[in-house]
Amino acid sequence: LSYSEFVGPKLVDYFVSHYWGTAFRHFVATLTKHAQSCAHRSSWKDISYWICILSNNQFRIPDELGNGDWRESSFFKALTSPSCEATCMVLDDQALPLTRSWCLFEVLQTYKLLKQTDGQHNFTGLFFCTKHGVIGAPQGDELTFDVSIALSRRLATLDVGEATASSPDDHAMIVSLISEEGGMEQMNAFIRTEMLEDLS
């Protein structure tokens, strides 16, 4: 069982994209800030997040990754679930999630969902989340602006084509998928555009 299955699963509200090397305290503070910014919810404590380490069965990782078929991976199924409202990327000042291939896979799927025009999905896009608040959200504290500027400078020079994965096969699969949607430069442009819109 996964941790979420043990304590009682819920439908996903937000998909969390993150880097495993992020300090846990930073991670929790970041998602707490995001939840508190969700003014459309009656209680921020009721919001459910899909977090891979808690939602995946850690004893059956190949199954969770789809046994070679990314469409059957828990990541893809959670992100494209009709109940999922957006992707929350947990960022530090170095934007480390964007140096990991699986995070790029999640950005790619976010990009593809936003391109859908059938009106049947309430997906709202990519949120850049920090421990000081969500970039562009009015509920952020006084440090959010400084973090936003630092991140925007980082993203201006970040090349997602340099992202890596622990599994060469996973990396090759993700690069191939991104190439089908316009390549790494298209992903760079998407990420920078989302940041610009949040800062404007």
Side-chain angles (χ1 to χ4, degrees), residues 9-190:
K10 295 175 61 178
L11 289 175
V12 58
D13 292 320
Y14 294 96
F15 181 95
V16 177
S17 181
H18 69 104
Y19 168 60
W20 278 49
T22 301
F24 187 68
R25 178 180 296 180
H26 175 100
F27 183 82
V28 172
T30 297
L31 291 185
T32 299
K33 280 287 189 179
H34 172 264
Q36 292 171 341
S37 75
C38 296
H40 63 291
R41 297 302 187 101
S42 58
S43 173
W44 65 269
K45 294 182 180 180
D46 292 332
I47 296 173
S48 61
Y49 294 89
W50 191 93
I51 302 168
C52 60
I53 194 171
L54 303 177
S55 300
N56 283 338
N57 183 337
Q58 298 300 314
F59 300 99
R60 301 182 64 178
I61 293 301
D63 292 341
E64 299 287 4
L65 295 180
N67 291 305
D69 184 352
W70 58 270
R71 298 172 189 83
E72 293 299 318
S73 70
S74 58
F75 295 83
F76 179 76
K77 290 181 177 180
L79 186 48
T80 57
S81 169
S83 66
C84 185
E85 297 182 24
T87 298
C88 295
M89 180 168 282
V90 176
L91 289 175
D92 57 10
D93 57 1
Q94 293 300 306
L96 289 177
L98 295 173
T99 68
R100 304 300 299 166
S101 296
W102 271 106
C103 290
L104 292 188
F105 172 82
E106 295 154 4
V107 171
L108 171 65
Q109 299 307 324
T110 299
Y111 172 74
K112 292 176 69 174
L113 282 170
L114 282 175
K115 286 175 61 179
Q116 291 180 354
T117 57
D118 58 14
Q120 297 179 2
H121 203 288
N122 63 345
F123 196 76
T124 56
L126 178 63
F127 293 158
F128 295 105
C129 304
T130 77
K131 66 179 181 180
H132 302 294
V134 180
I135 293 176
Q139 291 88 351
D141 65 26
E142 66 276 6
L143 294 176
T144 308
F145 179 76
D146 293 337
V147 174
S148 301
I149 296 303
L151 275 173
S152 63
R153 288 173 177 166
R154 167 65 173 152
L155 294 179
T157 59
L158 182 68
D159 181 5
V160 296
E162 298 175 359
T164 60
S166 54
S167 167
D169 289 342
D170 287 351
H171 179 72
M173 177 271 292
I174 293 166
V175 169
S176 176
L177 290 175
I178 291 175
S179 296
E180 293 175 5
E181 293 296 325
M184 291 297 180
E185 280 308 309
Q186 187 70 29
M187 286 300 99
N188 281 327
F190 169 65

